[in-house]
């Protein structure tokens, strides 16, 4: 940012010096060229933005499936983010990393309320299922259901 402002300042200063040194006859043209230079310098950082979704640059939300509403998509994204957060907290709190974590949310209340947490643990960590369930129930105050398996059943 500092470099950008320095370049913008130097470009403005250069335009002002050229305009002052040119004299009355060319002053109008040099002011015009100086203004164009400043506009180009101001806009120059934006040429690096890539507005195509899925590539480097601005990231875009997944495209909705046919018949899916924007509200439905935002609910899905909110649930996925909550699941990632809870899984990270579970891993930090107990050292247990679930294969998959899902939540049941009541969206009918004024604010969404988590009503249950569902953990899917690998066979190696399944013996720690009670510990994970106790931690989740204590942390969120909702029931926690633990299932063993690499591939969680579809809801």
């Amino acid at each position: 940012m500092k470099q950008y402002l320095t370049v913008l300042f130097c470009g403005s200063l250069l335009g002002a010096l050229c305009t002052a040194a040119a004299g009355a006859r060319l002053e109008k043209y040099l002011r015009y060229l100086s203004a164009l230079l400043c506009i180009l310098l101001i806009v120059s950082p934006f040429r690096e933005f890539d507005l195509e979704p899925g590539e480097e640059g601005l990231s875009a939300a997944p495209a909705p499936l046919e018949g899916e509403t924007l509200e439905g998509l935002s609910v899905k994204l909110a649930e996925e983010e909550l699941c990632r957060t809870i899984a990270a907290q579970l891993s930090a709190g107990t050292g247990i990393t679930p294969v998959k974590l899902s939540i049941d949310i009541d969206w009918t209340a004024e604010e969404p309320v988590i009503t249950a947490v569902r953990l899917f643990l690998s066979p190696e960590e399944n013996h720690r299922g009670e510990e994970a369930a106790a931690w989740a129930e204590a942390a969120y105050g909702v029931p926690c259901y633990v299932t063993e398996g690499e591939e969680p059943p579809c809801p």
Side-chain angles (χ1 to χ4, degrees):
M1 183 67 161
K2 182 179 178 181
Q3 181 183 6
Y4 169 70
L5 292 175
T6 304
V7 168
L8 185 59
F9 175 75
C10 289
S12 303
L13 187 61
L14 178 67
L17 290 174
C18 287
T19 303
R25 200 174 77 132
L26 296 176
E27 182 179 358
K28 167 172 70 170
Y29 301 109
L30 287 176
R31 275 197 336 226
Y32 176 74
L33 289 174
S34 297
L36 282 178
L37 174 68
C38 287
I39 289 172
L40 287 174
L41 290 173
I42 290 171
V43 178
S44 66
F46 300 109
R47 67 183 161 86
E48 295 177 14
F49 280 120
D50 183 10
L51 299 178
E52 293 296 319
E55 297 178 8
E56 291 181 23
L58 297 178
S59 61
L65 300 174
E66 189 174 323
E68 187 172 20
T69 64
L70 185 58
E71 182 180 349
L73 183 62
S74 63
V75 165
K76 250 191 232 180
L77 290 173
E79 286 180 4
E80 288 172 5
E81 185 61 31
L82 279 170
C83 287
R84 279 193 291 275
T85 301
I86 293 171
Q89 289 174 349
L90 173 68
S91 182
T94 64
I96 299 171
T97 304
V99 173
K100 181 175 168 116
L101 185 142
S102 66
I103 53 176
D104 297 339
I105 299 179
D106 178 15
W107 291 96
T108 60
E110 252 184 64
E111 293 182 9
V113 177
I114 297 174
T115 57
V117 175
R118 299 179 188 283
L119 298 174
F120 301 94
L121 300 179
S122 66
E124 297 82 29
E125 290 189 333
N126 193 45
H127 67 281
R128 297 182 69 192
E130 289 181 22
E131 178 187 350
W135 181 89
E137 288 174 3
Y140 298 104
V142 296
C144 180
Y145 306 102
V146 179
T147 306
E148 176 189 353
E150 294 290 330
E151 291 296 321
C154 293

